[in-house]
Amino acid sequence: MNELDLASLETECEKFVRNPSAAPSVQLVNFFESQENFNMIYCAIFQSRHTSLLYLCLNSFLKILPVEWKKLTLEQRSHIHSSLLSMLISETSHPNYLLSILSKSLARVCRLSLIEFSNTKATITFLLQSISQSSQNLSISLKFFEELIIEIHEPLKSKSKFINRKILIKFRDSILTEILSYTTNAISSLQHIDHIKSFLNIFILCLNYDILNTTNDESADDPICLHIPSQWKSILIKQELLESLEKILIESIGEIELLGIRVLSQLGAIRKSVFTCLEEREFFMRRYLEIVMKIMKFKVLCDDNLYEFLKAVKRFLCNFGVKDISTIGDFGAFLESLAQYTLVLTSQKILTLEKTLNTLCIWTFLASDSAGPFPKVKDYIPGLFQYIIGRTLESVTNDIFTEEKENDLEEFLQQTGTFSINFYPEIHEILTKFIIDESQNIQTGTINDLQLSWLILISSSILATQNKKSGISLNDKIVDLITKLIVKLTNSSYYIELSIIVFYDAFFTAYLSSTFDNYWEDSSSIIGEFSLGQLSYSILEVLFRNLTKYQYGKILEKSLLLFSKLSIGSYSTKIITSLPQVFSLINYPQCSFTDNKLRSRFFTALTQLWSNDENSLGEFYQCLIDKMQKYSEKTENVKIIFIELHGICKALTTEKAYNEFFNTVYEGLWGLIRDINSLITDPEVFHCLLKFLKEFTDNRNDRIKFDISEAYGVVIFKYISQILIFYCKKHTANSQIDENIINNKAKFVLNVVNNMLYGRYISFGVFEIYNDDTFVNMITICFNIISKCKDIYTYNKIMSLVYRFIESLCKNHGRILFCYLHNCWFEAMLSFLVFGIKSDCIRYLAVKYAVDANNAISCFCDYIVKTIRLRNRESEIVKKRLESEDQKMDEIYEALFEVIFTQEVSYLWTFSKVLLGLAVINQKKFEQIKNCAIEKLSLPEETKSKIQIAASKLLEGVKQSLDAQNKDIFLKNFNKFKQVLSSIN
């Protein structure tokens, strides 16, 4: 790079820095985004001293380097490494943001070069020596250590799992061990206390290091046990580390306190097998408990710090096991401290679910793990439960019913139920007393809606965990008391209505789920003073009152969810359908809610329920037919009918159920959609129609089967094609239509067409026999609407449907493609196939879509090879098509070789069958383009020569056919070729 170019870039950067609110110049953006400018960016980094330009260059360098790395010589790679290291620890003062990006850049270089040469270990050794000589380099080195661990732990997408695993293990066994040893010694001796935050963070990163990459998701829970290597034992298991950590935890606050707690959590998760003897392990556990008890006694933790601390305690208990920990003399003192700590957290004036929940998790674990051998734990559970329920009843507020607290509330109720499962008799007795007291308040008129709601919710959590599988006899008293209490309520508030739904849900789990089939006799079985049938009918009354009362909200959603559960369970449906008055209650109800998804789900549940009773199902379908005939003239009514049909059709999972529905609605359905123009005019109605057709044509579980003598499949295709063709012709001609609308409709159209293509219930050959162009027109319209989609390559879901559509056509309808499809759409199809295997596409789209494109090309090649050998009129048409699309075919060859030679993906095996197909179609072109692709590689000549030799053996022993034996031979050759590529890259 000459001085003029460098000065120009520095000037542009200076303008941007002085006015950051303004957009950067086009020249600047183009320069840093272009991969072709890598060499200029590389030169600018080591020539310029302009901090802003350096930052932008390094930021661009980070993104481009992994792709360009393979093109660099060993000398260039070594130069980049040494230059970045010199810049990082130079005496020149750099701003923090520049030091940060320098650390990231050097870390990336170290990762890319880790397998090839050992400069990474030398870098760590050099930095540790520089720290011992001068403490000025300490903060820079620690920052680099953090970035290096993070960088190495993130797998390279362009490398195979084997290579990534190899990098991870090599780094852990040498470099990471050295970093951890230095960090642990610094924490143990409390050296450099000003940098303790960085040391703690590096320690956490080291212990979180996972060579299997199973816990790299930030949303995943921490593993209970850390499988650290045995060589780390001498580094981690030492008294000085625990003593220093205790001092840090007791004396620090804020972020350092949080990091210290996370370190404590990591130490509590060290695998037990690391310890050489029982005495060593018991000493560690005793010392750990002492630290925990001191924190509970002397520290006031809150928010994230409290959450992490309680999580650390539970993690320690899970890892070492309550059985082993209870043998330590301090275990009784620990339980007492934990009980007092729980009381302190629960005694807040305002109920805080998070704090109560976190302590409850620990006691839940102790309770579930301590039913028999640990009587010390038993002494605390009933008293704690009574105190928690009493305190929460006193301090409950309406905030806990908000949407923000919904997850916390559900988890709290689940933990409360689990907490009581091994102490059911004692908990049941305490809860019964609370319910009786609340019943007396109702009689005296001193009811508190929130407290009553909370009590019903707690009762629900206890009831939901008691079932036949738990081995505990169900005590019906809670159900009896709550049911009587509900009967006494009039004009219930929102909170009480919500809690009643939750209680009925728990009742379903305990009494009506399929677990209890043959456990209860029938609907006349008595629970308290009520029969099972009476309670079931009461539940249905409440549910349908809510479904007609609410148009949206949590009560409506929970009511619908519970009704869906009742409709699915084999035992619950058996009870409900046996009640003589239930059909008159449910029948074909009028609902107040207008949400399309909820209405569809509701009718799915209704259909599932009545499917268990043939008489009721017939009446239900008759109500549907009457509604279709009565309300087919108003647009809004037609929309609702389509929504309900969608829900009903979704419930049909067997051939018998589908045929019964199809025979019932067949005539009425085509009568409903005879006025196509009016359906298309209203976008919402047409959207609901498309959703129904998508479900109606879906042959999941092979539910759609027609007799061979019937033409139902062909009729379905013709009717639906008329609708879709009419819509597409009318709306794709409108250039001003919103791109989101056209993209959404294209997605639904392709879904419907793909369902019919893959359904195996339509004889498509009939159309050609009778010279019916419906099928060809349908394919043409699909390509037409695809072409109207704006930026279609950025929509993954649509692209997936496109490739499934093309794959089906290539696999089953190759003759239609070559003989009848217009040239422009045939060329468009080839363009999609080219894009599907291009390296840019593979980086941009999900793996699944690129694999779909490969499958489509494979089917495309199979048809060509099979047809050309016939030497008939059809084979001549195929040859002419290929000649006319010679350029596109060349692009397919080129794109395929580009991806294979550069190893842009880790699933190269999928390209084997495609590559063989292309070789059989035109071996001369295959060899020619293969050699050209190798020449274009930006690699040393020696490397290209190795690839050329390996690639020349791809067709060794391969014949000009696609039979199974030939595919096996080619696959073996291809696997050998992959091994050569892996060794080079």
Side-chain angles (χ1 to χ4, degrees), residues 639-735:
K639 170 189 164 185
I640 291 173
I641 291 173
F642 284 139
I643 295 168
E644 294 171 359
L645 283 170
H646 173 265
I648 293 170
C649 201
K650 202 167 186 177
L652 309 173
T653 57
T654 65
E655 181 185 350
K656 179 183 176 183
Y658 187 90
N659 283 340
E660 189 171 356
F661 168 76
F662 181 82
N663 293 330
T664 303
V665 303
Y666 179 73
E667 295 294 338
L669 178 60
W670 307 130
L672 193 66
I673 61 177
R674 64 182 180 274
D675 188 1
I676 300 175
N677 193 50
S678 64
L679 294 177
I680 292 175
T681 303
D682 191 315
E684 286 191 27
V685 175
F686 189 69
H687 179 74
C688 294
L689 171 61
L690 285 178
K691 287 194 71 174
F692 161 64
L693 292 178
K694 175 177 175 277
E695 187 60 42
F696 182 68
T697 55
D698 189 354
N699 192 21
R700 65 177 185 278
N701 301 328
D702 283 334
R703 62 179 184 170
I704 308 178
K705 288 183 180 178
F706 300 121
D707 190 273
I708 194 169
S709 62
E710 296 173 332
Y712 285 133
V714 174
V715 173
I716 288 173
F717 187 83
K718 282 187 70 69
Y719 270 119
I720 294 176
S721 296
Q722 286 175 13
I723 297 169
L724 299 183
I725 291 171
F726 187 83
Y727 169 79
C728 294
K729 282 183 177 179
K730 184 171 182 178
H731 285 272
T732 54
N734 185 2
S735 59

Side-chain angles (χ1 to χ4, degrees), residues 821-850:
L821 192 63
H822 193 276
N823 289 339
C824 66
W825 303 128
F826 190 86
E827 185 179 346
M829 180 189 72
L830 292 180
S831 297
F832 276 109
L833 295 179
V834 171
F835 179 80
I837 55 174
K838 276 190 174 179
S839 58
D840 291 339
C841 161
I842 291 170
R843 285 194 293 267
Y844 198 72
L845 298 177
V847 171
K848 178 181 178 299
Y849 311 143

Side-chain angles (χ1 to χ4, degrees), residues 483-501:
T483 304
K484 290 178 180 177
L485 190 148
I486 292 171
V487 171
K488 293 177 184 178
L489 295 172
T490 55
N491 299 322
S492 302
S493 67
Y494 168 83
Y495 307 110
I496 292 178
E497 285 188 343
L498 181 62
S499 62
I500 289 173
I501 292 298

Side-chain angles (χ1 to χ4, degrees), residues 10-184:
E10 289 177 351
T11 303
E12 291 296 328
C13 285
E14 192 64 34
K15 289 179 183 178
F16 178 61
V17 170
R18 288 179 179 177
N19 188 12
S21 59
S25 67
V26 176
Q27 176 189 354
L28 202 62
V29 172
N30 291 341
F31 177 77
F32 289 116
E33 287 187 351
S34 175
Q35 192 171 312
E36 296 175 357
N37 292 329
F38 175 77
N39 290 330
M40 295 178 68
I41 293 170
Y42 168 70
C43 294
I45 291 172
F46 305 117
Q47 291 179 16
S48 176
R49 291 295 174 265
H50 192 281
T51 55
S52 299
L53 178 60
L54 276 175
Y55 177 82
L56 293 174
C57 284
L58 286 167
N59 192 49
S60 177
F61 179 79
L62 271 173
K63 297 175 183 177
I64 301 175
L65 183 61
V67 178
E68 296 292 322
W69 183 259
K70 291 176 284 189
K71 303 175 185 178
L72 302 174
T73 63
L74 289 177
E75 290 79 14
Q76 288 175 318
R77 297 174 184 180
S78 181
H79 176 261
I80 291 174
H81 172 268
S82 57
S83 301
L84 288 173
L85 180 60
S86 301
M87 291 174 68
L88 186 65
I89 60 169
S90 67
E91 296 180 358
T92 307
S93 177
H94 294 302
N96 289 334
Y97 69 86
L98 188 57
L99 289 174
S100 177
I101 197 73
L102 272 170
S103 299
K104 285 183 180 181
S105 301
L106 182 58
R108 183 149 300 177
V109 170
C110 288
R111 176 176 70 161
L112 292 169
S113 63
L114 187 66
I115 296 294
E116 296 162 357
F117 46 93
S118 58
N119 61 354
T120 306
K121 184 170 177 59
T123 303
I124 302 300
T125 305
F126 174 78
L127 288 174
L128 291 176
Q129 290 175 353
S130 69
I131 292 171
S132 62
Q133 296 170 3
S134 172
S135 59
Q136 293 180 354
N137 293 327
L138 178 59
S139 60
I140 296 173
S141 300
L142 294 179
K143 179 62 181 172
F144 171 70
F145 292 162
E146 289 182 37
E147 294 292 348
L148 180 63
I149 298 170
I150 294 170
E151 182 72 30
I152 295 288
H153 200 231
E154 182 68 26
L156 285 164
K157 293 181 180 179
S158 59
K159 299 289 185 183
S160 65
K161 288 184 179 179
F162 172 77
I163 296 295
N164 280 317
R165 188 77 51 80
K166 187 177 177 181
I167 293 172
L168 288 167
I169 294 173
K170 181 176 180 179
F171 179 76
R172 184 200 64 183
D173 292 342
S174 56
I175 300 166
L176 189 65
T177 301
E178 192 173 350
I179 294 174
L180 178 62
S181 178
Y182 171 74
T183 303
T184 306

Side-chain angles (χ1 to χ4, degrees), residues 758 802-818 826 829-830 833 837 850-868 874 878 882 889 892 896 910-918 920-921 962 967:
Y758 285 92
V802 169
Y803 284 118
R804 285 195 76 234
F805 172 65
I806 294 175
E807 180 186 353
S808 175
L809 294 178
C810 294
K811 186 175 183 179
N812 302 312
H813 309 288
R815 176 180 170 80
I816 301 296
L817 289 179
F818 279 87
F826 190 86
M829 180 189 72
L830 292 180
L833 295 179
I837 55 174
V851 173
D852 287 342
N854 272 316
N855 291 336
I857 297 175
S858 178
C859 296
F860 182 75
C861 294
D862 287 347
Y863 170 78
I864 293 172
V865 172
K866 181 179 69 174
T867 306
I868 286 179
E874 185 178 351
V878 170
L882 292 177
M889 292 298 296
I892 291 178
L896 195 63
T910 61
F911 291 92
S912 170
K913 54 184 180 181
V914 179
L915 206 59
L916 175 60
L918 293 173
V920 172
I921 290 172
L962 292 177
K967 288 180 179 179

